[in-house]
Amino acid sequence: MTSTRNGLSLRVARRLTGALLVLYPSAFRDEFGVAVRSLIDRDLVAAAAYGQLALLSAVVTHAWDIVLSAVSQRRARLTGRRGTMANGGDGVLAAWNAWRRDAKYGARLLAKQRTFSVVVVITLALAIGANTVIFTFANVLLVRPLPWRDQATLGWLFNIGPQAEGDKSRVSLADFEDFRASARSFSALAARRLTTVTLSGRGDAERLNTTEATANLFDVWGLQRVAGRLFRPGDDATGAAPVAVLSHQFWQRRFGGDRDIVGQTLLLDGVSHTIVGVLDPAIEVGNLATIDVYTPLTLAPGGSRRDDRQLTITGRLLPGVTPTQASAEIQTIAKRLQQEHPQTNRGWDAHVISTRQAMVGGNAWLAFTLLGLVVSFVLMIACANLANLMLSRSTERAREIAIRTALGASGRAIVRQLLIESLLLGTVGGIAGLLLAKASLVFIKSVSSEGFFKLLDIDRNVLVFVGAITLATTVAFSLMPALQLARAGVGDLLKAGTGKASGGARVRRGRAVLVVSQVALAVSLTVVGVLIVRSLIATTRIDPGFDSHNAFIFRVDVPSTRYAEPGRLLLLYEKTLAELRAIPGVSGAALTSRLPILGGDTPGPVAIDGRSVSRPADQAWAVSSAVSVDFFQTARIAMLSGRTFTRDDNASAPRAAIVNQEMAKRYWGSPAAAIGKRVSVGDTAAAAPMTIVGVVADTRPADVSLPPNPQLYVPIAQQPERSVAFFLRAVRAPALFPDVRAAVRRVDDGLALFDARTVDEALSIENSSDYVLTGMYMAFAVIALTLAAAGLYGVISYSVSQRTRELGIRVALGATASEVRSLVLVQGARLLVGGTVIGIVVGALIASTMRALLSGVSPLDPTTYFLVVGVFAVVMGVATYVPARRAVSVDPIKALRAE
Amino acid sequence: MLDDAPRLAPSEFQILLALIDGPMNGAAIKDEVARRTDGDVVLGPGTLYTSIKRMLDDALIGEHGPGATQRERVYRITLRGRTAATAEAKRLERIVAHARAKRLIPGPKPRTAT
């Protein structure tokens, strides 16, 4: 507990207690306010020396003291009565006894009024549970420290690509070395690259997730070792002996945590690496938890191309330098690189962002803010409901309280009694909310595969949050009725329970405002929720461009040390495809270097014959894939023009290419016009030109809401790639894995396959976080709708019970059943219409700010609004109709007689 | 005259007891009461000053004058306050005597006629 933390808590404590002074009459405040404050301050400072818990306890004690003395002060002013000795005196011991007595009495009373208690607890549980779940999000994003040491002084360097790659594009090795040489804002810059290697020589060949990194990565990140050592300067020098650092989870999983593994060797892609150490498990957060081993970043043979962008850069900022300042410097360097290397760097900017920004992308913040707004609304609706409930209940208990007051109970005792009951309910509701949140988190984690959701947890921060929000909510909805009751004179209280005093115009108006705001909040929430659901549905309806059902995929990375000669590599592929086609049930097998939608969308420049490039914006580009002969038939991508690849398109044949419809339209005007034209990869015509032989339909990029990218396909025989995905068409796709693995083993048992699953499964994993978030919005909207309906029902039925006498008189004077009913219905309708109109406007406002989250549906989509209004009309209609019917069944004789 | 004095709340009685020693400000009253009762009676700042206000209104205590700072007022007991405190003490003494008579607590036995 540092001194600044203590100072902060003290300030907060002072503000809290100071704020409560407003409960005193202003005359008292003027006269004694300063003195009270200074005494409280003295106690708070003394308590703070004993720790946070003591400070909290002091705050609670003083808050209680202020509340009680304020009540008695106000009572004394109004009734001229002094406090009595009915409570057995002051002092801590007496107070404790009084609390215990009231708690027991309150518990018994609540147990008898079961409906009321259950409704309150459920309302609290729903609202607190929802807010707790969202707080766990905030906890991970904002509150909990991440594994890097001093993450505020880390800067994350990204390229900003000229096309749809976003502002977190990776950097090339050549650019990295230029940044490292020129940048003055960092004390160190480290680079890393994600890749996979095959571990062999220790039983079954296994595919490992690897991070290749510069030797200073662990230093920059500030991580510790668990065994052995981490990288030393020089480990990544050319010609240095290959070393490897194991991740903690891999070390446990594969070697059982055996410390003797340090010093032994691992065969990675056929190269022997010496294990030098094991890394701190703290880094295993989110996607970093999947890394198995770290190896030094090595140059590919023959140097690397400046446009080969695979590196993620992290740097330790110099003291006093902010990410924004570093970003300005990096931008200048990037501009210089654009001029020095126009062929590779034209249009590529760079910037530096903070750790938090690097962890979560732009849209995620928007979604997260929206969720926060949504649960706040739910909480407000719940509080309004509870306040109304408490008001009704306190009015019902008015007689009991009046009698107690007449017998000598002080205002202090009454308030204490009521507050204790609320606290009891609040505690039960808070615990129920916590359990509900825990269950929801378990459910969310089980249906989503996104690394972020795995981080969600109930830790100490969340528990403090639950406690604080429970206390705040309880006080909010119970203080007002309690003070109101205590202030009232005995005569008022006795009258309140009957039909004579219907609560006064002010109270009725207060209730009406509460209900209208509830309905408004619920309507706006539902509008948002329905829009999001429609957006999701629109996304799933988008045609991916190929047949994703009954399809099985897996990936293979052939190490460069094996099948080095292209001819042998192609033969390997042929043999594998043949084995796969022989599996019973498989109707087609093909391969591609990049899967549609699931593969990355890294674009590369292309040079089009006869098209000159004068500005960077004119540069043609496309996403390239190398495919086997029958790929389009197997994936069922429609052929629009020309022909598909055949066996004749081999290494010795003229180079052929197929483009997609988007590319054909963009660069040649139409699919037919593209046939026969020549293109080459790279931005000069120096690379071997290819002739376009066919045009296929578009497939969607990874983010299906974006328009399709220009795509270029080449035969794998003419561009042998080592990292490929096999695509199988089979009706029994889900059960295919054992046969597939056996088939691959038959061809070469040193070949490790990975990422094996059905395409539908892969796509739903991609979309899973969207489903989770959408589900959450809808759940909150439903909760809001239920609470608002309950609120409306409560107010209407209470009003009916208060108007019993009046309605009885009307019936006696000849009003028909339907006239009585419409009286009640009209009252409800007025509240409903008012709330709905406000809610629609608010909902539309919120929707227009979240346009970025809605794809395929407009924020002002009329269908949505009609749907929401319709649903609310029905639900609220029922909520109003039931009490209206009860109003009709009022027996006029009984009503007139009731006193 | 004893019947004219208003009934005292326990916190008010404690404050009057403290002021018998001499005038003091609010903080000093609070500390004296806590010390004298060994922490059994702890007057919260709110309770303390609302009681002080009530007693000022009922003329049980009065202001002695500004204290160390202009804001720190010093209070003193009044004649009426002394009267009320005496009455309260005597009332409590009577109640304790009843308890002793019923052997609830030990004490000097009432004189019996022998």
Side-chain angles (χ1 to χ4, degrees), chain A residues 631-664:
Chain A
F631 173 71
F632 299 111
Q633 297 96 298
T634 314
R636 304 216 182 113
I637 299 175
M639 199 83 210
L640 297 176
S641 192
R643 67 168 180 85
T644 180
F645 294 135
T646 65
R647 297 206 155 278
D648 294 330
D649 296 307
N650 54 28
S652 46
R655 308 195 82 78
I658 292 180
V659 299
N660 71 343
Q661 185 178 27
E662 171 64 26
M663 183 161 182

Side-chain angles (χ1 to χ4, degrees), chain A residues 529-545:
Chain A
V530 172
L531 279 174
I532 290 185
V533 167
R534 283 176 62 96
S535 165
L536 184 67
I537 293 177
T539 313
T540 56
R541 282 229 203 97
I542 296 178
D543 180 10

Side-chain angles (χ1 to χ4, degrees), chain A residues 402-685:
Chain A
I403 293 173
R404 287 184 73 196
T405 312
L407 287 178
S410 66
R412 173 192 277 233
I414 307 262
V415 169
R416 184 176 57 217
Q417 169 77 44
L418 294 173
L419 278 173
I420 285 179
E421 285 170 15
S422 305
L423 274 175
L424 280 174
L425 285 173
T427 312
V428 175
I431 294 177
L434 183 63
L435 293 175
L436 198 60
K438 183 84 174 74
S440 311
L441 282 180
V442 166
F443 177 70
I444 288 176
K445 284 202 260 199
S446 69
V447 299
S448 85
S449 55
E450 177 81 34
F452 169 76
F453 291 110
K454 304 274 187 250
L455 296 174
L456 302 176
D457 234 342
I458 311 260
D459 65 3
R460 205 182 59 144
N461 297 339
V462 177
L463 289 176
V464 169
F465 173 78
V466 172
I469 201 180
T470 307
L471 192 63
T473 316
T474 309
V475 168
F477 73 73
S478 60
L479 198 59
M480 184 180 55
L483 281 178
Q484 188 189 56
L485 260 187
R487 211 187 305 175
V490 171
D492 290 333
L493 290 174
L494 284 174
K495 261 199 273 177
T498 69
K500 284 206 184 123
S502 44
R506 257 180 93 216
V507 173
R508 251 180 311 166
R509 215 189 344 224
R511 280 177 202 271
V513 166
L514 275 177
V515 169
V516 165
S517 35
Q518 277 180 310
V519 172
L521 287 171
V523 165
S524 54
L525 274 193
T526 313
V527 163
V528 167
V530 172
L531 279 174
I532 290 185
V533 167
R534 283 176 62 96
S535 165
L536 184 67
I537 293 177
T539 313
T540 56
R541 282 229 203 97
I542 296 178
D543 180 10
F546 67 101
D547 188 352
S548 62
H549 306 303
N550 299 326
F552 189 89
I553 50 174
F554 65 94
R555 289 178 49 196
V556 163
D557 284 356
V558 183
S560 49
T561 50
R562 310 190 57 207
Y563 303 97
E565 201 247 322
R568 295 193 54 209
L569 183 65
L570 292 169
L571 195 57
L572 169 70
Y573 291 153
E574 282 302 321
K575 279 208 218 148
T576 313
L577 284 172
E579 285 286 345
L580 290 171
R581 286 187 195 114
I583 298 175
V586 171
S587 53
L591 65 76
T592 169
S593 65
R594 193 194 67 88
L595 284 167
I597 297 188
L598 298 166
D601 293 313
T602 319
V606 291
I608 293 177
D609 219 20
R611 182 192 157 103
S612 63
V613 180
S614 47
R615 310 167 299 156
D618 292 338
Q619 175 64 54
W621 59 279
V623 179
S624 306
S625 325
V627 298
S628 65
V629 164
D630 45 1
F631 173 71
F632 299 111
Q633 297 96 298
T634 314
R636 304 216 182 113
I637 299 175
M639 199 83 210
L640 297 176
S641 192
R643 67 168 180 85
T644 180
F645 294 135
T646 65
R647 297 206 155 278
D648 294 330
D649 296 307
N650 54 28
S652 46
R655 308 195 82 78
I658 292 180
V659 299
N660 71 343
Q661 185 178 27
E662 171 64 26
M663 183 161 182
K665 277 204 296 209
R666 198 185 279 207
Y667 299 129
W668 295 281
S670 76
I675 306 287
K677 299 293 189 297
R678 289 152 65 84
V679 294
S680 52
V681 175
D683 57 1
T684 60

Side-chain angles (χ1 to χ4, degrees), chain A residues 20 59-69 99 415-416 419:
Chain A
L20 282 174
V59 168
V60 171
T61 315
H62 281 114
W64 186 238
D65 174 57
I66 292 175
V67 167
L68 287 183
S69 53
W99 276 82
V415 169
R416 184 176 57 217
L419 278 173

Side-chain angles (χ1 to χ4, degrees), chain A residues 24 31 42 65 82 85 90, chain B residues 7 11 31 44 46-47 58:
Chain A
Y24 290 119
E31 223 187 324
R42 199 183 68 166
D65 174 57
R82 319 184 86 254
M85 290 167 56
D90 300 323
Chain B
R7 284 284 287 274
S11 57
D31 293 339
T47 311
D58 288 339

